[in-house]
Amino acid sequence: MLLDESTPPAYQHVFADIAEKRSDAMIVHARGELLRHRQLIVELAEKSRLPAIYPYQEYVEAGGLMAYAVDFREFGRRLADDVHEILGGANPGDIPIYLPTKYEFVINLKAANAIGLTIPPALLARADEVIE
């Protein structure tokens, strides 16, 4: 579902549409403007009893079900290496573009229980972090 604008009423409208269509689950996009409304998005997903996977761990920390996201610590280290090379005289155009290679999978069991979802043990075993 696309948002016309990033406001609480727009999110409520989208979740009403999702409920009407009886969606089984949702994937939240990584658009930055959504992150500042993460608490509302997480609350609406829980109220709708809708399993959701999020693009950033901050959603899970706010009570969301799960996230599969770039490891920003690794990304920051790589960025710092690039800055170091540039400050050392390297031409920015000669530095290869970095694509993330490490992702983190985080599961929030409290959120799973809140929507009546049982996470399979095999999935829990694959998680980098489980919030209880």
Side-chain angles (χ1 to χ4, degrees):
M1 306 291 296
L2 297 175
L3 288 169
D4 294 330
E5 56 186 306
S6 186
T7 63
Y11 289 102
Q12 291 165 345
H13 178 74
V14 164
F15 274 88
D17 285 349
I18 289 171
E20 185 177 297
K21 292 181 174 152
R22 299 180 191 261
S23 298
D24 293 325
M26 78 173 184
I27 300 171
V28 175
H29 195 278
R31 288 177 30 200
E33 67 191 50
L34 299 177
L35 185 59
R36 72 187 155 111
H37 292 289
R38 67 185 170 273
Q39 190 66 51
L40 175 62
I41 294 168
V42 164
E43 289 170 5
L44 290 169
E46 182 179 331
K47 181 180 175 187
S48 303
R49 300 183 59 77
L50 189 63
I53 188 163
Y54 300 96
Y56 304 114
Q57 183 170 345
E58 289 84 355
Y59 284 93
V60 179
E61 292 167 354
L65 179 61
M66 62 180 69
Y68 188 66
V70 170
D71 180 345
F72 283 104
R73 290 178 297 266
E74 179 197 14
F75 189 74
R77 283 189 293 273
R78 182 65 201 140
L79 184 60
D81 289 344
D82 290 350
V83 169
H84 179 74
E85 287 185 42
I86 292 168
L87 292 175
N91 179 353
D94 293 338
I95 297 173
I97 294 174
Y98 171 73
L99 295 176
T101 57
K102 185 175 179 202
Y103 292 81
E104 292 183 323
F105 181 43
V106 183
I107 299 174
N108 184 333
L109 287 178
K110 186 177 177 182
N113 290 335
I115 63 171
L117 183 67
T118 301
I119 305 291
L123 191 58
L124 289 171
R126 294 187 62 106
D128 295 297
E129 182 179 349
V130 176
I131 299 171
E132 294 190 48

